[in-house]
Amino acid sequence: MTDQHDDLANRVAATRTQLFETLDAIEDKLNVPKQLGIAASRVKQGIDEKPVPYLAGLAAGVAVVGSIVVVVLRRR
């Protein structure tokens, strides 16, 4: 009887641990400021390693925004 009780108690403890780990993982995924910080650090690391693709993306973004401004100003 004690072995069954110990086995059940061990399974409950393992399930509880797994549940807490899952809830922590969900909380981390839903924590927007933390996720933004992680994304920013990845971008900074990427810029340090290979800056050319990021500079090309920046140039493309500036070109798109500039084009939009020109179209809006011409319509007036």
Side-chain angles (χ1 to χ4, degrees):
M1 203 59 159
T2 313
D3 289 338
Q4 289 177 346
H5 179 66
D6 289 343
D7 184 44
L8 182 60
N10 289 337
R11 286 191 291 166
V12 168
T15 302
R16 183 176 293 134
T17 301
Q18 185 180 12
L19 176 63
F20 286 137
E21 290 173 357
T22 301
L23 290 175
D24 285 342
I26 291 171
E27 181 182 7
D28 285 345
K29 289 291 183 184
L30 295 178
N31 187 342
V32 175
K34 183 176 182 177
Q35 293 300 318
L36 288 174
I38 292 170
S41 66
R42 286 182 183 167
V43 168
K44 287 178 186 177
Q45 183 180 4
I47 290 172
D48 290 341
E49 292 175 4
K50 294 182 180 180
V52 174
Y54 291 95
L55 292 174
L58 178 64
V62 169
V64 168
V65 171
S67 299
I68 291 172
V69 169
V70 168
V71 168
V72 168
L73 290 177
R74 283 189 178 175
R75 285 189 173 185
R76 289 185 172 195

